[in-house]
Amino acid sequence: MRMSTRIAGVLSGLTLVLGGAALAAPAAHADVSACINQVERELQGGEAPQSVRSACSAGYTGEQAQCVSGLTKSGVTNGTAVSACKASAE
């Protein structure tokens, strides 16, 4: 097999693998990020703590009550917690 054919095959396979990962990953991350961003705007203290990230992840998986509860325990107002958890589920 010629070297140029082998390189072209490897590059094509790599493109397919990376392209598939890029299509699948952003959708999940964007929803959790929307939740975290809403909370960070309210807290105005920089990066959200791990408890907020965990709560937003629960909202993404459909556990809205757990999401709201986790966010309010982290110091987020109920109104912001409810809207942030809705954003994570969208």
Side-chain angles (χ1 to χ4, degrees):
M1 183 184 288
R2 293 181 52 180
M3 182 64 103
S4 60
T5 305
R6 187 178 309 163
I7 291 173
V10 168
L11 290 176
S12 295
L14 186 60
T15 301
L16 289 173
V17 168
L18 293 177
L23 289 175
H29 182 68
D31 297 330
V32 174
S33 293
C35 174
I36 292 169
N37 289 338
Q38 283 190 16
V39 171
E40 286 177 341
R41 280 192 293 267
E42 179 179 308
L43 296 179
Q44 298 177 355
E47 190 173 333
Q50 183 59 41
S51 59
V52 168
R53 295 175 186 284
S54 296
C56 287
S57 294
Y60 175 72
T61 61
E63 299 292 332
Q64 295 299 305
Q66 183 180 351
C67 177
V68 172
S69 174
L71 290 179
T72 54
K73 286 179 184 175
S74 296
V76 178
T77 62
N78 190 61
T80 299
V82 170
S83 66
C85 291
K86 282 182 184 177
S88 70
E90 293 178 351

